[in-house]
Amino acid sequence: MKPSIPQGTRDFSPADVRRRQYILNTIKSVFEVYGFQPLETPSMENLNTLMGKYGEEGDRLIFKILNNGLHEKKDQAKLHEEWDKILSKPYSSTTVTERALRYDLTIPFARYVVMHQNDLAFPFKRYQMQPVWRADRPQRGRYREFWQCDADVVGSNSLLNEAELLCIYQDAFHRLNVPGIQVKINSRKVLAGLAECCGAAEQLTDITVAIDKLDKIGWDGVAKELTERGLEADKVNYIQNYLNISGSTEERLVAMETLLKDSATAQQGIAELRTTLKYMAQLQRGEWTSEVLVDFTLARGLNYYTGVIVEVGTTAVKMGSIGGGGRYDDLTGLFGLKGLSGVGVSFGIDRIYDVMTELNLFPENVDVTTRILFVNIEPEAETTILSYLSRLRGQGISAELYSDAAKFDKQMKYADKRQIPYVGIVGSTELAQKVINLKNMTTGEQQQLSIEQLSEHLV
């Protein structure tokens, strides 16, 4: 059988993993500076924890895990009946499946907060970096298994949290040196006001799901979908006027205040956007090059957002969003804990990886692990080299001995292929003189150093 991997998944080589770790460690350092704490949750959740939290389209994309014992004959008749529920709404059946791979990190986080509410100090600020799974159609920048990297705050209503999360995006992408970053923000309250003002308040979800596809299918596609969802022509035209608002941030806010003047909900959402931007202006640093833009076409289809929403992309590469999030005031209420406000953002690690690879943004030494490789050419030197290894490693310097007594040329090619910057040669002459012949693999320069000098050179 020819070996293969499931569609929408990838193997990661040692170099790939180190580059991904570079991204994760960079973002982690930003989270830590802003006072967030690490958290992990299981790869699988009870299916009823996930279902109904992401909308109808999200429910279809949840990877469900079959129950054990489905082969038993006594259950076959019942199973045939229950399969129909898997293939149609509600896309699940407890007879067939009771568990699923997590779809994102936010719902499991909400579940965790409810289960551990008596142990947590609120506001609780957490970050989480783990893989998630979605039964999506694989394409460029879209995978069935991918990493998410989230930061959330629960137990606080302050818009300072939104502002800090926007700064976290700007700070992280500045440290990663990704150009063309645009951080777009809107408010679900503005979108709710749009639904109210166009006379379709009860169809808010239909409207936001359609608007969320604007960049993929264009206005004609959105208009068609809105019509198919039952909106009359005058309502569709009103939504088009909403989406056509342009200009500077202030011009857009003023225009939206006028268009949605009859909605108190929309006016509250606009005021919250202004406050968030005010806080952010006081927090952000001058060297950050990313833009923060108010974009009223931003919808984000997930049902649980209730306030400010955010999405991040880059103009430097043709790629979908590489981050997003928003406020979800009633999320923990899904699990019985009412009145606990939350807001969070997510980094799309795999897409960020693809962007940085395409733009060649990783540091030159990111793949380098071992600093020095001692070649194995003199059996009598083995004991001495092992003592050198022990000393260097004790000082935190990564060092190796080529384990097999192979030809010198083969060992040098190995070091070159591994991108090891230095080779240490200890032959009979070096052994007698108690030195190491150190070769710089980049310049070809060689010098003889004592172990003390070598340690200082490699630090």
Side-chain angles (χ1 to χ4, degrees), residues 57 206-231 236 239-240 243:
E57 292 189 13
D206 290 333
I207 293 171
T208 56
V209 168
I211 290 177
D212 197 38
K213 300 175 183 177
L214 180 64
D215 61 337
K216 301 181 182 71
I217 62 177
W219 167 247
D220 290 340
V222 171
K224 179 181 178 182
E225 184 161 332
L226 290 170
T227 301
E228 291 174 349
R229 290 175 179 268
L231 276 78
V236 174
I239 294 170
Q240 185 178 21
L243 295 176

Side-chain angles (χ1 to χ4, degrees), residues 309-363:
I309 53 177
V310 57
E311 190 165 276
V312 183
T314 174
T315 59
V317 174
K318 189 174 182 181
M319 182 72 68
S321 65
I322 55 178
R327 180 164 287 274
Y328 45 84
D329 285 344
D330 60 352
L331 187 63
T332 55
L334 297 169
F335 302 108
L337 181 57
K338 302 292 184 180
L340 193 65
S341 182
V343 60
V345 295
S346 177
F347 287 81
I349 298 301
D350 292 270
R351 287 189 176 185
I352 295 171
Y353 179 97
D354 289 345
V355 168
M356 293 185 65
T357 298
E358 185 166 336
L359 297 177
N360 194 27
L361 298 178
F362 290 101

Side-chain angles (χ1 to χ4, degrees), residues 12-24:
F12 289 89
S13 69
D16 295 332
V17 173
R18 290 201 170 275
R19 292 174 184 177
R20 186 172 65 190
Q21 287 174 339
Y22 169 76
I23 296 172
L24 292 172

